[in-house]
Amino acid sequence: MSTLLEVKDITKIYPNQPKPGLDHVSFEVMQGEFLGIMGASGSGKTTLLRCLNFLETPDTGVIRVDGKTLWDAADPATHRESEVRKKRLHFGLVFQNYALYPHMTVADNIMFPLINRKVPKAEARERAQEMAKLVQLDHLMDRKPKALSGGQRQRVAMGRAIVRNPKVFLMDE
């Protein structure tokens, strides 16, 4: 089994904070493996996910997916903003608050990452329908998030992350 995700020595320091948000975090996740990270409120779980998805910039460390270095704090070549969008393609992120678009239907929310990546609308609609069936929301495709239960909203967010077919799924609570 090969290493899918390698996180080595990630530190995130926030100005005016008494301790780092992350302090030399390291781990490996093998292909097909599931890793849950647990800790008290404020322990850095969300900060770690944000660093892995390049929404936060780690101060030290290395992030690799399938052996490819996506971030190396010691190598400025990995810091280019133009590469951030490409790096994010490796990850499907479900936020703690789901971050659904309230004006969009379930179908539109699930299709959004595909449309954003210029996938033809017919293909995006078909893939969204398949994903909705997988997360058991195919009968709710025309509803907006406010008309859904909390569990249904969570499944829309998961469907939106999975439909992109990323290498790694990051889910916050």
Side-chain angles (χ1 to χ4, degrees), residues 1-135:
M1 206 175 337
S2 63
T3 301
L4 174 63
L5 173 65
E6 179 185 359
V7 174
K8 186 175 178 184
D9 201 32
I10 295 292
T11 299
K12 176 64 183 170
I13 298 170
Y14 293 106
N16 303 318
Q17 293 295 317
K19 61 180 185 168
L22 297 173
D23 194 7
H24 302 284
V25 174
S26 296
F27 60 88
E28 288 185 8
V29 180
M30 304 306 279
Q31 191 76 36
E33 195 171 44
F34 178 87
L35 172 68
I37 297 175
M38 299 171 56
S41 180
S43 64
K45 301 177 300 290
T46 298
T47 300
L48 177 60
L49 292 181
R50 291 179 59 81
C51 285
L52 291 175
N53 205 47
F54 306 101
L55 297 170
E56 298 268 357
T57 304
D59 294 298
T60 68
V62 177
I63 300 169
R64 291 188 184 97
V65 172
D66 275 344
K68 179 181 178 190
T69 300
L70 301 183
W71 175 264
D72 184 343
D75 181 2
T78 65
H79 301 192
R80 289 189 295 264
E81 279 299 314
S82 62
E83 296 293 314
V84 167
R85 181 173 279 216
K86 290 179 192 172
K87 292 174 184 180
R88 286 188 185 144
L89 291 176
H90 295 282
F91 300 97
L93 178 61
V94 178
F95 291 98
Q96 183 175 353
N97 67 357
Y98 314 134
L100 300 179
Y101 297 104
H103 64 287
M104 292 183 179
T105 64
V106 168
D108 292 335
N109 266 285
I110 293 174
M111 286 187 338
F112 183 77
L114 301 175
I115 298 298
N116 197 32
R117 286 173 179 75
K118 311 281 190 259
V119 172
K121 202 162 199 158
E123 180 184 340
R125 185 168 279 115
E126 182 180 325
R127 286 174 57 186
Q129 186 64 39
E130 291 169 6
M131 191 52 51
K133 189 173 185 174
L134 178 72
V135 296

Side-chain angles (χ1 to χ4, degrees), residues 139-150:
H139 61 291
L140 301 174
M141 294 293 274
D142 294 328
R143 291 202 187 166
K144 294 196 174 165
K146 68 181 178 185
L148 302 174
S149 71

